[in-house]
Amino acid sequence: MSALADGKPEVYLILGKNGWIGGQLQEILRQQGKTFFLADSRTQNRESLATELDKYQPTHVLNAAGVTGRPNVDWCEDHRPETIRSNVIGVLNVADLCAEKGIHHLLYATGCIFEYDETHVIGGKGFLEEDKPNFHGSFYSHTKAMVEDMLKEFPTTCTLRVRMPISDDLSHRNFITKIVKYDRVVNIPNSMTCLTEMLPISLIMAQRKLTGVYNFCNPGAISHNEILDLYKKYIDPEYTYTNFTVEEQAQILKAGRSNNTLDHTKLCGALSDITINEIHVAMEGVFQRMRVNLEKQGIWPDNLPKRAPKV
């Protein structure tokens, strides 16, 4: 069992055990030989959550719980009370209880609370951790922006702004899988988070008890077309795609979508002893590992995801 600098054994409690990120955190902690437990409580149930914190006595809470919607964030538009319970009330419950009990709270949040504007143009400066969110085009993003401001008052919370998360497989939650199945895609550079590289780094941040807000993305920005070109290069040479405009996209969506670049200076400065790959370098690694993984799983080359047939 690992121990902190004060000699107290490290114990992790994962919230969101059945979720995509929560599942990956379990695997990483298992590989690292860490002691961890899985919370059963819903975060909006404060008393139940407090009981589990007292039961497991964690030194670190890894909070990967929350509502993103199925199949996408449009769901939140029609389920606003449910979204608030999880993304606002639940998050604040965890932050408050952790502050009361002196437990480090690492929250996997979102950076989809900004959009390019006159002072943050494509190819220009990225949004800083101190910048006020300017994107409220979806109810999902609105709740996330609202709660992030409140979280700054809780001294043991570290808020990670994850964006368009990428994995080395074809999980339905993977941003790559999503856009591969779209009939048409926009082509806009965005900050993104390669989970295989970044989730282990998040655990280092927890161990070091970093707090505050961090833009939790690989440095730089990459476009939809660049990603799909890499998909063609490594996975499916026969794949084709078509672009359309943001305005055309808006006509088929219930809620708006965030497009932005987040500044990486604070994150890289806080972890100056750790290499964080630039997003294009990271994405090459993602597709190289994906090709190997898909072949082992029997998915490549004959069972790759296909677009739904047009009616």
Side-chain angles (χ1 to χ4, degrees):
M1 181 182 291
S2 302
L4 301 174
D6 59 8
K8 186 177 181 180
E10 282 182 4
V11 178
Y12 294 83
L13 181 64
I14 297 177
L15 306 178
K17 65 179 181 179
N18 296 322
W20 185 41
I21 289 179
Q24 292 180 67
L25 289 172
Q26 293 172 50
E27 185 60 29
I28 296 169
L29 290 172
R30 193 174 291 115
Q31 291 174 357
Q32 294 182 355
K34 304 292 187 183
T35 299
F36 67 92
F37 298 97
L38 307 177
D40 292 319
S41 304
R42 291 188 177 276
T43 55
Q44 58 264 41
N45 298 335
R46 184 182 179 92
E47 291 184 1
S48 176
L49 180 60
T51 298
E52 288 203 275
L53 291 174
D54 290 339
K55 175 182 178 181
Y56 295 117
Q57 294 287 303
T59 54
H60 300 82
V61 166
L62 305 177
N63 188 357
V67 167
T68 56
R70 294 288 189 277
N72 53 50
V73 296
D74 285 349
W75 180 92
C76 299
E77 300 299 312
D78 297 322
H79 298 82
R80 297 192 177 202
E82 298 97 314
T83 304
I84 292 171
R85 288 186 202 113
S86 181
N87 291 358
V88 180
I89 297 171
V91 170
L92 294 177
N93 275 339
V94 179
D96 190 34
L97 287 168
C98 285
E100 283 184 357
K101 298 174 184 295
I103 302 168
H104 187 268
H105 171 218
L106 191 72
L107 172 65
Y108 297 89
T110 185
C112 293
I113 53 178
F114 296 98
E115 62 180 345
Y116 291 115
D117 59 19
E118 293 180 357
T119 57
H120 301 86
V121 298
I122 294 174
K125 66 178 182 179
F127 288 93
L128 301 172
E129 283 79 358
E130 297 77 20
D131 288 334
K132 183 177 180 180
N134 70 345
F135 177 73
H136 297 271
S138 71
F139 191 72
Y140 166 81
S141 291
H142 178 63
T143 62
K144 292 290 189 174
M146 180 168 49
V147 80
E148 183 186 275
D149 187 55
M150 298 177 185
L151 287 170
K152 296 173 184 177
E153 307 304 322
F154 296 95
T156 65
T157 288
C158 181
T159 301
L160 303 182
R161 290 174 175 168
V162 177
R163 283 219 75 228
M164 297 179 168
I166 304 288
S167 60
D168 299 348
D169 54 21
L170 287 173
S171 162
H172 69 281
R173 304 302 303 278
N174 185 356
F175 181 74
I176 296 170
T177 310
K178 292 179 180 180
I179 64 172
V180 162
K181 293 181 178 180
Y182 291 164
D183 291 328
R184 296 178 294 171
V185 295
V186 296
N187 183 35
I188 304 173
N190 273 279
S191 287
M192 299 188 190
T193 305
C194 293
L195 296 177
T196 302
E197 295 188 7
M198 299 300 285
L199 287 183
I201 290 174
S202 74
L203 297 181
I204 294 173
M205 298 174 74
Q207 291 159 13
R208 296 181 182 180
K209 294 191 174 183
L210 299 184
T211 58
V213 179
Y214 286 87
N215 291 331
F216 195 64
C217 308
N218 294 80
I222 189 168
S223 71
H224 299 63
N225 285 12
E226 288 176 305
I227 291 174
L228 293 176
D229 287 342
L230 287 172
Y231 183 80
K232 287 169 61 72
K233 175 182 177 181
Y234 287 103
I235 308 300
D236 186 359
E238 303 302 316
Y239 181 80
T240 61
Y241 61 89
T242 303
N243 291 130
F244 67 157
T245 66
V246 173
E247 292 75 19
E248 290 171 325
Q249 181 192 53
Q251 295 176 11
I252 64 171
L253 298 175
K254 183 168 292 187
R257 298 295 191 266
S258 162
N259 292 289
N260 67 60
T261 300
L262 302 180
D263 186 273
H264 61 272
T265 305
K266 180 180 177 180
L267 178 68
C268 291
L271 301 168
S272 58
D273 58 324
I274 297 172
T275 299
I276 304 178
N277 285 321
E278 191 273 337
I279 188 60
H280 292 85
V281 175
M283 287 299 302
E284 288 277 352
V286 163
F287 279 105
Q288 290 167 7
R289 294 187 297 269
M290 182 183 288
R291 169 67 177 268
V292 173
N293 293 339
L294 295 180
E295 191 166 5
K296 287 180 179 178
Q297 296 166 5
I299 297 174
W300 186 91
D302 298 323
N303 297 300
L304 295 171
K306 305 295 182 182
R307 295 185 182 95
K310 293 183 178 179
V311 178

